[in-house]
């Protein structure tokens, strides 16, 4: 992990990799993230940058690798998946978050985009299945409940290498 992290830094900064921050643009060159539709959210969620530039320290990088590893528990994976899917960082998945989530999964192109009616029906179905307290949003416990009933979540969520 240290070798992979330091290789993302310019040669002159590699000696001090433990105290360096890798810019988001470099993190996004990793093969595991390059094609991930949530790549920007992943950087945002794992970055502890005070300037909010989504750069990563070695600790941030290790956290990200451990969540994506095969040995991470389903609870850990679902916790981070929820944070990644919570586009406005408000602690719930609302209709707007769900729409962004669907758009990330289906692609942004005209040919793959759902119609307004299809999107509304899909979001309605997701909320009916997941929104246990019927408040119009999905909180972390509701999300984890749904995930616990889906044994393929870890394998299919993109949170596994």
């Amino acid at each position: 992990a240290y070798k992979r992290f330091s290789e993302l830094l310019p040669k002159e900064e590699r000696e001090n990799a433990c105290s360096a921050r890798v810019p988001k643009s470099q993190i996004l060159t990793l093969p595991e993230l390059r094609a991930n539709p949530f790549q920007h959210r992943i950087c945002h969620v794992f970055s502890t940058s005070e300037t909010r530039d989504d750069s990563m320290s070695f600790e941030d990088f290790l956290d990200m690798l451990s969540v994506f590893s095969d040995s991470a528990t389903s609870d850990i994976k679902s916790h981070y998946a929820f944070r990644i899917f919570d586009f406005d960082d408000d602690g719930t998945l609302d209709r707007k978050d769900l729409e962004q989530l669907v758009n990330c999964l289906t692609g942004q192109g005209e040919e793959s985009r759902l119609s307004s009616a299809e999107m509304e029906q899909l979001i309605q179905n997701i909320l009916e299945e997941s929104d246990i307290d019927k408040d119009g949003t999905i909180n972390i416990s509701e999300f984890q409940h749904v995930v616990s009933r889906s044994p393929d979540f870890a394998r299919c969520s993109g949170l596994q290498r």
Side-chain angles (χ1 to χ4, degrees):
Y2 181 81
K3 184 176 186 297
R4 286 195 77 194
F5 181 80
S6 62
E7 287 170 351
L8 294 169
L9 291 165
K11 282 192 177 14
E12 62 274 7
E13 291 184 40
R14 289 183 185 166
E15 291 292 316
N16 301 317
C18 280
S19 60
R21 295 194 73 82
V22 172
K24 176 182 175 179
S25 59
Q26 281 301 107
I27 299 292
L28 294 178
T29 66
L30 291 168
E32 297 88 344
L33 289 181
R34 205 175 297 138
N36 190 309
F38 301 102
Q39 59 182 229
H40 297 286
R41 286 295 303 160
I42 291 168
C43 288
H44 178 76
V45 165
F46 286 97
S47 173
T48 58
S49 170
E50 291 178 10
T51 62
R52 306 189 73 70
D53 63 0
D54 295 345
S55 64
M56 287 193 194
S57 66
F58 181 57
E59 287 266 324
D60 298 338
F61 188 73
L62 280 179
D63 287 345
M64 180 180 70
L65 291 182
S66 66
V67 169
F68 282 90
S69 80
D70 292 343
S71 58
T73 65
S74 178
D75 277 354
I76 298 269
K77 287 183 184 294
S78 62
H79 170 82
Y80 279 95
F82 182 86
R83 289 188 55 205
I84 290 165
F85 300 160
D86 181 13
F87 289 89
D88 57 9
D89 295 318
D90 69 352
T92 63
L93 302 183
D94 59 17
R95 288 179 167 277
K96 196 169 173 70
D97 291 320
L98 295 173
E99 185 172 338
Q100 283 186 265
L101 171 59
V102 170
N103 283 335
C104 280
L105 292 172
T106 60
Q108 299 297 326
E110 284 299 313
E111 69 286 343
S112 61
R113 181 165 287 165
L114 297 181
S115 71
S116 295
E118 291 169 326
M119 179 67 79
E120 182 54 38
Q121 183 61 59
L122 181 55
I123 290 172
Q124 195 56 45
N125 291 350
I126 291 168
L127 289 172
E128 282 175 19
E129 181 75 23
S130 311
D131 182 17
I132 297 165
D133 64 9
K134 303 299 179 207
D135 67 351
T137 65
I138 302 167
N139 63 36
I140 183 72
S141 61
E142 290 168 331
F143 182 80
Q144 288 183 316
H145 176 74
V146 169
V147 167
S148 72
R149 297 182 313 180
S150 176
D152 289 338
F153 171 75
R155 189 175 52 75
C156 299
S157 66
L159 292 178
Q160 192 164 337
R161 287 179 30 162

